[in-house]
Amino acid sequence: MHGLAMILSLPLYRIPPPWSSSPLSYSYDLRLHRQLASPRQLPLLWFASPPRLRRRSLCTSTLASGPATGALLQDAGATAAVLAGAYSLVRAFDALTENNLIEQQNLSRKLVHILSGLIFISSWPIFSNSAEARYFASLVPLLNCLRLVINGFSLTTDAGLVKSVTRKGNPEELLRGPLHYVLILILCSVIFWRDSPTGIISVAMMCGGDGIADIIGRRFGAQKLPYNQHKSWAGSCSMFLFGFLVSIGMLYYFSSLGYFQLDLTETVQRVALVSLVATVVESLPTEVMDDNISVPLVSMLTALLTFNY
Ligand SMILES: C/C(=C\COP(=O)(O)O)CCC[C@H](C)CCC[C@H](C)CCCC(C)C
Ligand SMILES: Nc1ccn([C@@H]2O[C@H](COP(=O)(O)OP(=O)(O)O)[C@@H](O)[C@H]2O)c(=O)n1
C-alpha cells in the first residue's frame, strides 16, 4: 500500500476535545490501540496519541533495539534538533537586524524573548515518554545558559548573540535578563515538564505576556500607571490579554496531545487569575527582581495553588 493510499486508509479518529471532563473514551483508546498495533500503519496520529498508547507503538517499532535504546535515540535527536533551532533563531534575528529588516534592536530582542521559550516548550512532545526525556530537553536551555555565561564574561565573543538579546550591546547584559530566562526554562523543564499546566503557563506568561508588554507598552504606552510611571496601561493590559491567550493556547496544544485533561471553564478562570497576578506583579515599581524571574515565579505559585499540580 503506497503512502497516500495508506494515509487515506487511516480511520479518521476524532481526538476527543481536550476540554472534555470525561477521560478518553475506551472505544477511542481501543480503536487507536488497534491502529497502533500494526507498525506498518504507524498513523499520523502516532505523534498525537496519548503517551500511554505511544509507549506500545514505540516498543513495537524498536523491538530489535529495545524500547530504552529507541527512547535514547529519540531524545538525543530531539535535543540536537531543538539546539539547532535555538541557534538558528538567534542567528535569524541577528541577520534581520543587520539587514535593517527589523528596524529596532529592541524589537528583535523582544521577538527572540517571545519566540524562544514558546517554541521550546512546543517542542516538548517530540521527546520520548521516558523518565529521562525532560533532562534531555533541559539540556537545550542549559547549554544556552553556558553560552550566555561564557559570552557574558567575555571569555568568547559572539557578536550576533550579544546584538540579538541585549538592550545596549554590552556582553554583561547577557548575565541578567537572558540568563534568568534560560534558568526558568531549565526549572520548568525539569520540575514540571509537559505533565503539568504549571510550567507551561509560567513560560507562556514570561514569553508571551512579559514579552508583548514591552512591545505594546513602548509604542502605545502614553497613559502611564498611577503607581509606576515606567509602565503603562497599554503594556499591562496587553500582557494580561496576550499572556492569557498564549497560556490557553499552549494548554490546548498539550491537552489535545493527551498529556492532561482540563475542564474548559475552570481552566479559563484559573489562567485568567494567573495572568492577572503576573501582570500586577510585573507592573510594580520595584527593581528588586528581574521580570524574567518575578513573572514566571509568581505565575508558577498561582498556577500551583489553582491547578494543584
Ligand atoms: C532575549 C531573551 C531574554 C531577554 O529578556 P529581557 O531582558 O528582554 O527581559 C531571550 C534569550 C534567549 C536565549 C539566548 C536562547 C534560549 C533558547 C531556548 C532555550 C531554546 C529555543 C529553542 C527553539 C527551537 C527556538
Ligand atoms: N507593563 C508594561 C511593561 C513595559 N512597558 C514598556 O516597555 C518598556 C520596557 O519594559 P521592561 O523594563 O519591563 O522590559 P523588560 O524588563 O521586560 O525587558 C518600559 O520602559 C515601558 O516603556 C509598559 O509600558 N508597560
Side-chain angles (χ1 to χ4, degrees):
M1 179 184 285
H2 65 80
L4 180 59
M6 185 181 81
I7 289 171
L8 295 177
S9 72
L10 293 179
L12 290 179
Y13 292 112
R14 189 183 71 79
I15 295 179
W19 310 116
S20 56
S21 51
S22 63
L24 289 176
S25 68
Y26 178 71
S27 57
Y28 163 78
D29 280 355
L30 190 61
R31 284 183 301 154
L32 193 53
H33 171 56
R34 241 196 339 269
Q35 182 67 40
L36 291 177
S38 50
R40 70 177 176 79
Q41 287 191 18
L42 266 185
L44 296 177
L45 289 180
W46 181 85
F47 173 82
S49 63
R52 61 185 177 284
L53 288 179
R54 203 181 302 157
R55 266 191 288 278
R56 292 184 198 144
S57 61
L58 197 61
C59 296
T60 309
S61 60
T62 55
L63 280 181
S65 59
T69 310
L72 182 64
L73 290 174
Q74 181 178 347
D75 290 334
T79 303
V82 179
L83 266 176
Y87 183 82
S88 304
L89 183 78
V90 172
R91 278 285 166 271
F93 277 95
D94 179 30
L96 290 171
T97 310
E98 275 293 307
N99 295 296
N100 297 315
L101 294 175
I102 295 183
E103 78 285 357
Q104 286 180 359
Q105 184 176 339
N106 180 70
L107 179 59
S108 165
R109 177 169 62 84
K110 276 306 169 183
L111 290 174
V112 172
H113 178 122
I114 292 171
L115 294 175
S116 296
L118 293 182
I119 300 175
F120 173 57
I121 61 174
S122 302
S123 74
W124 284 357
I126 69 173
F127 290 85
S128 79
N129 289 307
S130 71
E132 295 73 26
R134 68 178 71 196
Y135 303 107
F136 274 93
S138 67
L139 282 177
V140 177
L142 178 62
L143 291 173
N144 277 277
C145 175
L146 295 176
R147 183 183 176 203
L148 292 169
V149 170
I150 290 167
N151 285 280
F153 285 110
S154 299
L155 302 178
T156 59
T157 306
D158 183 339
L161 175 69
V162 173
K163 201 183 312 157
S164 303
V165 303
T166 63
R167 288 175 172 79
K168 303 185 179 75
N170 299 325
E172 309 80 56
E173 291 179 64
L174 296 175
L175 303 176
R176 290 193 292 273
L179 183 61
H180 301 152
Y181 181 98
V182 295
L183 290 175
I184 289 294
L185 294 181
I186 294 170
L187 181 72
C188 289
S189 305
V190 172
I191 304 294
F192 300 106
W193 192 220
R194 58 196 179 197
D195 313 316
S196 158
T198 297
I200 293 163
I201 294 171
S202 303
V203 173
M205 288 310 302
M206 176 178 73
C207 300
D210 184 38
I212 203 68
D214 182 312
I215 294 176
I216 301 295
R218 285 181 193 272
R219 281 159 183 72
F220 308 108
Q223 296 295 319
K224 301 301 181 186
L225 296 176
Y227 53 87
N228 187 349
Q229 290 306 300
H230 298 292
K231 301 288 173 82
S232 65
W233 286 106
S236 293
C237 291
S238 60
M239 173 170 176
F240 171 78
L241 183 61
F242 205 80
F244 170 79
L245 293 175
V246 170
S247 297
I248 290 287
M250 294 310 288
L251 290 181
Y252 181 87
Y253 170 67
F254 279 93
S255 48
S256 64
L257 293 177
Y259 292 104
F260 40 73
Q261 290 281 318
L262 295 169
D263 175 82
L264 178 57
T265 308
E266 283 179 7
T267 301
V268 165
Q269 292 167 346
R270 290 168 175 173
V271 171
L273 177 63
V274 174
S275 193
L276 178 63
V277 171
T279 300
V280 169
V281 168
E282 190 275 343
S283 72
L284 297 176
T286 58
E287 298 299 325
V288 173
M289 195 183 288
D290 182 54
D291 286 349
N292 291 342
I293 296 177
S294 62
V295 167
L297 286 189
V298 77
S299 300
M300 243 175 252
L301 181 62
T302 311
L304 274 175
L305 291 173
T306 51
F307 283 90
N308 295 315
Y309 69 105

mmCIF file with all atom_site columns, all heavy atoms in Angstrom, residues 226-246:
data_model
loop_
_atom_site.group_PDB
_atom_site.id
_atom_site.type_symbol
_atom_site.label_atom_id
_atom_site.label_alt_id
_atom_site.label_comp_id
_atom_site.label_asym_id
_atom_site.label_entity_id
_atom_site.label_seq_id
_atom_site.pdbx_PDB_ins_code
_atom_site.Cartn_x
_atom_site.Cartn_y
_atom_site.Cartn_z
_atom_site.occupancy
_atom_site.B_iso_or_equiv
_atom_site.pdbx_formal_charge
_atom_site.auth_seq_id
_atom_site.auth_comp_id
_atom_site.auth_asym_id
_atom_site.auth_atom_id
_atom_site.pdbx_PDB_model_num
ATOM 1   N N   . PRO A 1 226 ? -0.754 54.773 37.454 1.00 0.00 ? 226 PRO A N   1
ATOM 2   C CA  . PRO A 1 226 ? -0.683 55.789 38.521 1.00 0.00 ? 226 PRO A CA  1
ATOM 3   C C   . PRO A 1 226 ? 0.434  55.508 39.525 1.00 0.00 ? 226 PRO A C   1
ATOM 4   O O   . PRO A 1 226 ? 1.032  56.427 40.077 1.00 0.00 ? 226 PRO A O   1
ATOM 5   C CB  . PRO A 1 226 ? -2.061 55.725 39.195 1.00 0.00 ? 226 PRO A CB  1
ATOM 6   C CG  . PRO A 1 226 ? -2.658 54.437 38.763 1.00 0.00 ? 226 PRO A CG  1
ATOM 7   C CD  . PRO A 1 226 ? -2.082 54.125 37.427 1.00 0.00 ? 226 PRO A CD  1
ATOM 8   N N   . TYR A 1 227 ? 0.776  54.239 39.700 1.00 0.00 ? 227 TYR A N   1
ATOM 9   C CA  . TYR A 1 227 ? 1.781  53.888 40.719 1.00 0.00 ? 227 TYR A CA  1
ATOM 10  C C   . TYR A 1 227 ? 3.148  53.543 40.111 1.00 0.00 ? 227 TYR A C   1
ATOM 11  O O   . TYR A 1 227 ? 4.078  53.184 40.811 1.00 0.00 ? 227 TYR A O   1
ATOM 12  C CB  . TYR A 1 227 ? 1.298  52.702 41.562 1.00 0.00 ? 227 TYR A CB  1
ATOM 13  C CG  . TYR A 1 227 ? 0.883  51.493 40.758 1.00 0.00 ? 227 TYR A CG  1
ATOM 14  C CD1 . TYR A 1 227 ? 1.799  50.534 40.369 1.00 0.00 ? 227 TYR A CD1 1
ATOM 15  C CD2 . TYR A 1 227 ? -0.445 51.331 40.370 1.00 0.00 ? 227 TYR A CD2 1
ATOM 16  C CE1 . TYR A 1 227 ? 1.429  49.440 39.624 1.00 0.00 ? 227 TYR A CE1 1
ATOM 17  C CE2 . TYR A 1 227 ? -0.849 50.230 39.626 1.00 0.00 ? 227 TYR A CE2 1
ATOM 18  C CZ  . TYR A 1 227 ? 0.106  49.288 39.246 1.00 0.00 ? 227 TYR A CZ  1
ATOM 19  O OH  . TYR A 1 227 ? -0.275 48.192 38.515 1.00 0.00 ? 227 TYR A OH  1
ATOM 20  N N   . ASN A 1 228 ? 3.224  53.649 38.768 1.00 0.00 ? 228 ASN A N   1
ATOM 21  C CA  . ASN A 1 228 ? 4.522  53.341 38.145 1.00 0.00 ? 228 ASN A CA  1
ATOM 22  C C   . ASN A 1 228 ? 4.614  54.070 36.802 1.00 0.00 ? 228 ASN A C   1
ATOM 23  O O   . ASN A 1 228 ? 4.005  53.655 35.825 1.00 0.00 ? 228 ASN A O   1
ATOM 24  C CB  . ASN A 1 228 ? 4.681  51.829 37.923 1.00 0.00 ? 228 ASN A CB  1
ATOM 25  C CG  . ASN A 1 228 ? 6.082  51.484 37.432 1.00 0.00 ? 228 ASN A CG  1
ATOM 26  O OD1 . ASN A 1 228 ? 6.866  52.375 37.070 1.00 0.00 ? 228 ASN A OD1 1
ATOM 27  N ND2 . ASN A 1 228 ? 6.401  50.208 37.404 1.00 0.00 ? 228 ASN A ND2 1
ATOM 28  N N   . GLN A 1 229 ? 5.349  55.161 36.813 1.00 0.00 ? 229 GLN A N   1
ATOM 29  C CA  . GLN A 1 229 ? 5.459  55.989 35.609 1.00 0.00 ? 229 GLN A CA  1
ATOM 30  C C   . GLN A 1 229 ? 6.308  55.334 34.518 1.00 0.00 ? 229 GLN A C   1
ATOM 31  O O   . GLN A 1 229 ? 6.409  55.883 33.413 1.00 0.00 ? 229 GLN A O   1
ATOM 32  C CB  . GLN A 1 229 ? 6.049  57.359 35.984 1.00 0.00 ? 229 GLN A CB  1
ATOM 33  C CG  . GLN A 1 229 ? 5.081  58.223 36.804 1.00 0.00 ? 229 GLN A CG  1
ATOM 34  C CD  . GLN A 1 229 ? 3.718  58.396 36.106 1.00 0.00 ? 229 GLN A CD  1
ATOM 35  O OE1 . GLN A 1 229 ? 3.652  58.919 34.992 1.00 0.00 ? 229 GLN A OE1 1
ATOM 36  N NE2 . GLN A 1 229 ? 2.636  57.941 36.753 1.00 0.00 ? 229 GLN A NE2 1
ATOM 37  N N   . HIS A 1 230 ? 6.895  54.183 34.805 1.00 0.00 ? 230 HIS A N   1
ATOM 38  C CA  . HIS A 1 230 ? 7.685  53.492 33.772 1.00 0.00 ? 230 HIS A CA  1
ATOM 39  C C   . HIS A 1 230 ? 6.886  52.400 33.064 1.00 0.00 ? 230 HIS A C   1
ATOM 40  O O   . HIS A 1 230 ? 7.357  51.789 32.113 1.00 0.00 ? 230 HIS A O   1
ATOM 41  C CB  . HIS A 1 230 ? 8.943  52.874 34.403 1.00 0.00 ? 230 HIS A CB  1
ATOM 42  C CG  . HIS A 1 230 ? 9.873  53.894 35.001 1.00 0.00 ? 230 HIS A CG  1
ATOM 43  N ND1 . HIS A 1 230 ? 10.572 54.814 34.232 1.00 0.00 ? 230 HIS A ND1 1
ATOM 44  C CD2 . HIS A 1 230 ? 10.179 54.165 36.293 1.00 0.00 ? 230 HIS A CD2 1
ATOM 45  C CE1 . HIS A 1 230 ? 11.286 55.580 35.033 1.00 0.00 ? 230 HIS A CE1 1
ATOM 46  N NE2 . HIS A 1 230 ? 11.075 55.218 36.286 1.00 0.00 ? 230 HIS A NE2 1
ATOM 47  N N   . LYS A 1 231 ? 5.689  52.163 33.590 1.00 0.00 ? 231 LYS A N   1
ATOM 48  C CA  . LYS A 1 231 ? 4.837  51.140 32.966 1.00 0.00 ? 231 LYS A CA  1
ATOM 49  C C   . LYS A 1 231 ? 3.515  51.809 32.567 1.00 0.00 ? 231 LYS A C   1
ATOM 50  O O   . LYS A 1 231 ? 3.105  52.816 33.132 1.00 0.00 ? 231 LYS A O   1
ATOM 51  C CB  . LYS A 1 231 ? 4.591  49.975 33.942 1.00 0.00 ? 231 LYS A CB  1
ATOM 52  C CG  . LYS A 1 231 ? 5.878  49.266 34.421 1.00 0.00 ? 231 LYS A CG  1
ATOM 53  C CD  . LYS A 1 231 ? 6.505  48.431 33.337 1.00 0.00 ? 231 LYS A CD  1
ATOM 54  C CE  . LYS A 1 231 ? 7.862  47.874 33.758 1.00 0.00 ? 231 LYS A CE  1
ATOM 55  N NZ  . LYS A 1 231 ? 7.774  46.660 34.587 1.00 0.00 ? 231 LYS A NZ  1
ATOM 56  N N   . SER A 1 232 ? 2.817  51.192 31.610 1.00 0.00 ? 232 SER A N   1
ATOM 57  C CA  . SER A 1 232 ? 1.603  51.839 31.093 1.00 0.00 ? 232 SER A CA  1
ATOM 58  C C   . SER A 1 232 ? 0.409  50.890 31.090 1.00 0.00 ? 232 SER A C   1
ATOM 59  O O   . SER A 1 232 ? 0.574  49.662 31.188 1.00 0.00 ? 232 SER A O   1
ATOM 60  C CB  . SER A 1 232 ? 1.861  52.302 29.644 1.00 0.00 ? 232 SER A CB  1
ATOM 61  O OG  . SER A 1 232 ? 2.064  51.156 28.817 1.00 0.00 ? 232 SER A OG  1
ATOM 62  N N   . TRP A 1 233 ? -0.768 51.470 30.951 1.00 0.00 ? 233 TRP A N   1
ATOM 63  C CA  . TRP A 1 233 ? -1.997 50.664 30.870 1.00 0.00 ? 233 TRP A CA  1
ATOM 64  C C   . TRP A 1 233 ? -1.957 49.780 29.620 1.00 0.00 ? 233 TRP A C   1
ATOM 65  O O   . TRP A 1 233 ? -2.319 48.608 29.659 1.00 0.00 ? 233 TRP A O   1
ATOM 66  C CB  . TRP A 1 233 ? -3.226 51.580 30.820 1.00 0.00 ? 233 TRP A CB  1
ATOM 67  C CG  . TRP A 1 233 ? -3.547 52.224 32.119 1.00 0.00 ? 233 TRP A CG  1
ATOM 68  C CD1 . TRP A 1 233 ? -3.355 53.528 32.466 1.00 0.00 ? 233 TRP A CD1 1
ATOM 69  C CD2 . TRP A 1 233 ? -4.106 51.576 33.268 1.00 0.00 ? 233 TRP A CD2 1
ATOM 70  N NE1 . TRP A 1 233 ? -3.753 53.744 33.767 1.00 0.00 ? 233 TRP A NE1 1
ATOM 71  C CE2 . TRP A 1 233 ? -4.224 52.565 34.273 1.00 0.00 ? 233 TRP A CE2 1
ATOM 72  C CE3 . TRP A 1 233 ? -4.532 50.278 33.558 1.00 0.00 ? 233 TRP A CE3 1
ATOM 73  C CZ2 . TRP A 1 233 ? -4.735 52.282 35.541 1.00 0.00 ? 233 TRP A CZ2 1
ATOM 74  C CZ3 . TRP A 1 233 ? -5.041 49.990 34.820 1.00 0.00 ? 233 TRP A CZ3 1
ATOM 75  C CH2 . TRP A 1 233 ? -5.145 50.975 35.798 1.00 0.00 ? 233 TRP A CH2 1
ATOM 76  N N   . ALA A 1 234 ? -1.471 50.336 28.533 1.00 0.00 ? 234 ALA A N   1
ATOM 77  C CA  . ALA A 1 234 ? -1.426 49.553 27.293 1.00 0.00 ? 234 ALA A CA  1
ATOM 78  C C   . ALA A 1 234 ? -0.498 48.343 27.457 1.00 0.00 ? 234 ALA A C   1
ATOM 79  O O   . ALA A 1 234 ? -0.838 47.220 27.066 1.00 0.00 ? 234 ALA A O   1
ATOM 80  C CB  . ALA A 1 234 ? -0.937 50.428 26.135 1.00 0.00 ? 234 ALA A CB  1
ATOM 81  N N   . GLY A 1 235 ? 0.660  48.578 28.079 1.00 0.00 ? 235 GLY A N   1
ATOM 82  C CA  . GLY A 1 235 ? 1.600  47.476 28.261 1.00 0.00 ? 235 GLY A CA  1
ATOM 83  C C   . GLY A 1 235 ? 1.037  46.405 29.171 1.00 0.00 ? 235 GLY A C   1
ATOM 84  O O   . GLY A 1 235 ? 1.098  45.210 28.866 1.00 0.00 ? 235 GLY A O   1
ATOM 85  N N   . SER A 1 236 ? 0.436  46.838 30.289 1.00 0.00 ? 236 SER A N   1
ATOM 86  C CA  . SER A 1 236 ? -0.082 45.857 31.250 1.00 0.00 ? 236 SER A CA  1
ATOM 87  C C   . SER A 1 236 ? -1.310 45.130 30.717 1.00 0.00 ? 236 SER A C   1
ATOM 88  O O   . SER A 1 236 ? -1.450 43.916 30.881 1.00 0.00 ? 236 SER A O   1
ATOM 89  C CB  . SER A 1 236 ? -0.416 46.557 32.569 1.00 0.00 ? 236 SER A CB  1
ATOM 90  O OG  . SER A 1 236 ? 0.782  47.014 33.188 1.00 0.00 ? 236 SER A OG  1
ATOM 91  N N   . CYS A 1 237 ? -2.194 45.864 30.051 1.00 0.00 ? 237 CYS A N   1
ATOM 92  C CA  . CYS A 1 237 ? -3.400 45.199 29.505 1.00 0.00 ? 237 CYS A CA  1
ATOM 93  C C   . CYS A 1 237 ? -3.002 44.191 28.419 1.00 0.00 ? 237 CYS A C   1
ATOM 94  O O   . CYS A 1 237 ? -3.555 43.095 28.343 1.00 0.00 ? 237 CYS A O   1
ATOM 95  C CB  . CYS A 1 237 ? -4.369 46.232 28.936 1.00 0.00 ? 237 CYS A CB  1
ATOM 96  S SG  . CYS A 1 237 ? -5.141 47.253 30.199 1.00 0.00 ? 237 CYS A SG  1
ATOM 97  N N   . SER A 1 238 ? -2.007 44.540 27.619 1.00 0.00 ? 238 SER A N   1
ATOM 98  C CA  . SER A 1 238 ? -1.564 43.599 26.572 1.00 0.00 ? 238 SER A CA  1
ATOM 99  C C   . SER A 1 238 ? -0.882 42.398 27.207 1.00 0.00 ? 238 SER A C   1
ATOM 100 O O   . SER A 1 238 ? -1.034 41.266 26.735 1.00 0.00 ? 238 SER A O   1
ATOM 101 C CB  . SER A 1 238 ? -0.613 44.281 25.588 1.00 0.00 ? 238 SER A CB  1
ATOM 102 O OG  . SER A 1 238 ? 0.538  44.767 26.273 1.00 0.00 ? 238 SER A OG  1
ATOM 103 N N   . MET A 1 239 ? -0.184 42.628 28.310 1.00 0.00 ? 239 MET A N   1
ATOM 104 C CA  . MET A 1 239 ? 0.447  41.488 28.997 1.00 0.00 ? 239 MET A CA  1
ATOM 105 C C   . MET A 1 239 ? -0.631 40.532 29.510 1.00 0.00 ? 239 MET A C   1
ATOM 106 O O   . MET A 1 239 ? -0.544 39.310 29.330 1.00 0.00 ? 239 MET A O   1
ATOM 107 C CB  . MET A 1 239 ? 1.318  41.961 30.165 1.00 0.00 ? 239 MET A CB  1
ATOM 108 C CG  . MET A 1 239 ? 1.846  40.792 30.980 1.00 0.00 ? 239 MET A CG  1
ATOM 109 S SD  . MET A 1 239 ? 3.087  41.260 32.173 1.00 0.00 ? 239 MET A SD  1
ATOM 110 C CE  . MET A 1 239 ? 3.331  39.648 32.957 1.00 0.00 ? 239 MET A CE  1
ATOM 111 N N   . PHE A 1 240 ? -1.675 41.090 30.134 1.00 0.00 ? 240 PHE A N   1
ATOM 112 C CA  . PHE A 1 240 ? -2.745 40.232 30.676 1.00 0.00 ? 240 PHE A CA  1
ATOM 113 C C   . PHE A 1 240 ? -3.409 39.449 29.542 1.00 0.00 ? 240 PHE A C   1
ATOM 114 O O   . PHE A 1 240 ? -3.545 38.231 29.599 1.00 0.00 ? 240 PHE A O   1
ATOM 115 C CB  . PHE A 1 240 ? -3.798 41.077 31.393 1.00 0.00 ? 240 PHE A CB  1
ATOM 116 C CG  . PHE A 1 240 ? -5.013 40.293 31.776 1.00 0.00 ? 240 PHE A CG  1
ATOM 117 C CD1 . PHE A 1 240 ? -4.989 39.449 32.885 1.00 0.00 ? 240 PHE A CD1 1
ATOM 118 C CD2 . PHE A 1 240 ? -6.168 40.351 31.013 1.00 0.00 ? 240 PHE A CD2 1
ATOM 119 C CE1 . PHE A 1 240 ? -6.109 38.687 33.229 1.00 0.00 ? 240 PHE A CE1 1
ATOM 120 C CE2 . PHE A 1 240 ? -7.289 39.594 31.341 1.00 0.00 ? 240 PHE A CE2 1
ATOM 121 C CZ  . PHE A 1 240 ? -7.263 38.753 32.448 1.00 0.00 ? 240 PHE A CZ  1
ATOM 122 N N   . LEU A 1 241 ? -3.804 40.156 28.489 1.00 0.00 ? 241 LEU A N   1
ATOM 123 C CA  . LEU A 1 241 ? -4.572 39.508 27.420 1.00 0.00 ? 241 LEU A CA  1
ATOM 124 C C   . LEU A 1 241 ? -3.730 38.487 26.660 1.00 0.00 ? 241 LEU A C   1
ATOM 125 O O   . LEU A 1 241 ? -4.118 37.326 26.479 1.00 0.00 ? 241 LEU A O   1
ATOM 126 C CB  . LEU A 1 241 ? -5.108 40.568 26.461 1.00 0.00 ? 241 LEU A CB  1
ATOM 127 C CG  . LEU A 1 241 ? -5.999 40.057 25.322 1.00 0.00 ? 241 LEU A CG  1
ATOM 128 C CD1 . LEU A 1 241 ? -7.249 39.380 25.882 1.00 0.00 ? 241 LEU A CD1 1
ATOM 129 C CD2 . LEU A 1 241 ? -6.380 41.217 24.391 1.00 0.00 ? 241 LEU A CD2 1
ATOM 130 N N   . PHE A 1 242 ? -2.531 38.906 26.258 1.00 0.00 ? 242 PHE A N   1
ATOM 131 C CA  . PHE A 1 242 ? -1.683 38.021 25.439 1.00 0.00 ? 242 PHE A CA  1
ATOM 132 C C   . PHE A 1 242 ? -1.163 36.855 26.282 1.00 0.00 ? 242 PHE A C   1
ATOM 133 O O   . PHE A 1 242 ? -1.125 35.718 25.829 1.00 0.00 ? 242 PHE A O   1
ATOM 134 C CB  . PHE A 1 242 ? -0.499 38.831 24.883 1.00 0.00 ? 242 PHE A CB  1
ATOM 135 C CG  . PHE A 1 242 ? 0.077  38.270 23.615 1.00 0.00 ? 242 PHE A CG  1
ATOM 136 C CD1 . PHE A 1 242 ? -0.548 38.521 22.403 1.00 0.00 ? 242 PHE A CD1 1
ATOM 137 C CD2 . PHE A 1 242 ? 1.230  37.503 23.638 1.00 0.00 ? 242 PHE A CD2 1
ATOM 138 C CE1 . PHE A 1 242 ? -0.001 38.002 21.228 1.00 0.00 ? 242 PHE A CE1 1
ATOM 139 C CE2 . PHE A 1 242 ? 1.774  36.984 22.476 1.00 0.00 ? 242 PHE A CE2 1
ATOM 140 C CZ  . PHE A 1 242 ? 1.152  37.234 21.267 1.00 0.00 ? 242 PHE A CZ  1
ATOM 141 N N   . GLY A 1 243 ? -0.839 37.162 27.526 1.00 0.00 ? 243 GLY A N   1
ATOM 142 C CA  . GLY A 1 243 ? -0.380 36.083 28.405 1.00 0.00 ? 243 GLY A CA  1
ATOM 143 C C   . GLY A 1 243 ? -1.482 35.049 28.607 1.00 0.00 ? 243 GLY A C   1
ATOM 144 O O   . GLY A 1 243 ? -1.248 33.840 28.572 1.00 0.00 ? 243 GLY A O   1
ATOM 145 N N   . PHE A 1 244 ? -2.729 35.546 28.780 1.00 0.00 ? 244 PHE A N   1
ATOM 146 C CA  . PHE A 1 244 ? -3.872 34.641 28.958 1.00 0.00 ? 244 PHE A CA  1
ATOM 147 C C   . PHE A 1 244 ? -4.083 33.795 27.701 1.00 0.00 ? 244 PHE A C   1
ATOM 148 O O   . PHE A 1 244 ? -4.184 32.571 27.765 1.00 0.00 ? 244 PHE A O   1
ATOM 149 C CB  . PHE A 1 244 ? -5.127 35.468 29.255 1.00 0.00 ? 244 PHE A CB  1
ATOM 150 C CG  . PHE A 1 244 ? -6.413 34.682 29.229 1.00 0.00 ? 244 PHE A CG  1
ATOM 151 C CD1 . PHE A 1 244 ? -6.775 33.890 30.311 1.00 0.00 ? 244 PHE A CD1 1
ATOM 152 C CD2 . PHE A 1 244 ? -7.237 34.727 28.125 1.00 0.00 ? 244 PHE A CD2 1
ATOM 153 C CE1 . PHE A 1 244 ? -7.969 33.153 30.285 1.00 0.00 ? 244 PHE A CE1 1
ATOM 154 C CE2 . PHE A 1 244 ? -8.418 33.999 28.076 1.00 0.00 ? 244 PHE A CE2 1
ATOM 155 C CZ  . PHE A 1 244 ? -8.780 33.202 29.164 1.00 0.00 ? 244 PHE A CZ  1
ATOM 156 N N   . LEU A 1 245 ? -4.114 34.445 26.546 1.00 0.00 ? 245 LEU A N   1
ATOM 157 C CA  . LEU A 1 245 ? -4.400 33.728 25.293 1.00 0.00 ? 245 LEU A CA  1
ATOM 158 C C   . LEU A 1 245 ? -3.297 32.713 24.962 1.00 0.00 ? 245 LEU A C   1
ATOM 159 O O   . LEU A 1 245 ? -3.578 31.579 24.572 1.00 0.00 ? 245 LEU A O   1
ATOM 160 C CB  . LEU A 1 245 ? -4.568 34.728 24.143 1.00 0.00 ? 245 LEU A CB  1
ATOM 161 C CG  . LEU A 1 245 ? -5.806 35.648 24.226 1.00 0.00 ? 245 LEU A CG  1
ATOM 162 C CD1 . LEU A 1 245 ? -5.790 36.676 23.092 1.00 0.00 ? 245 LEU A CD1 1
ATOM 163 C CD2 . LEU A 1 245 ? -7.101 34.834 24.218 1.00 0.00 ? 245 LEU A CD2 1
ATOM 164 N N   . VAL A 1 246 ? -2.055 33.121 25.156 1.00 0.00 ? 246 VAL A N   1
ATOM 165 C CA  . VAL A 1 246 ? -0.947 32.196 24.844 1.00 0.00 ? 246 VAL A CA  1
ATOM 166 C C   . VAL A 1 246 ? -0.968 31.006 25.810 1.00 0.00 ? 246 VAL A C   1
ATOM 167 O O   . VAL A 1 246 ? -0.780 29.859 25.417 1.00 0.00 ? 246 VAL A O   1
ATOM 168 C CB  . VAL A 1 246 ? 0.414  32.923 24.904 1.00 0.00 ? 246 VAL A CB  1
ATOM 169 C CG1 . VAL A 1 246 ? 1.577  31.945 24.821 1.00 0.00 ? 246 VAL A CG1 1
ATOM 170 C CG2 . VAL A 1 246 ? 0.511  33.952 23.773 1.00 0.00 ? 246 VAL A CG2 1
#
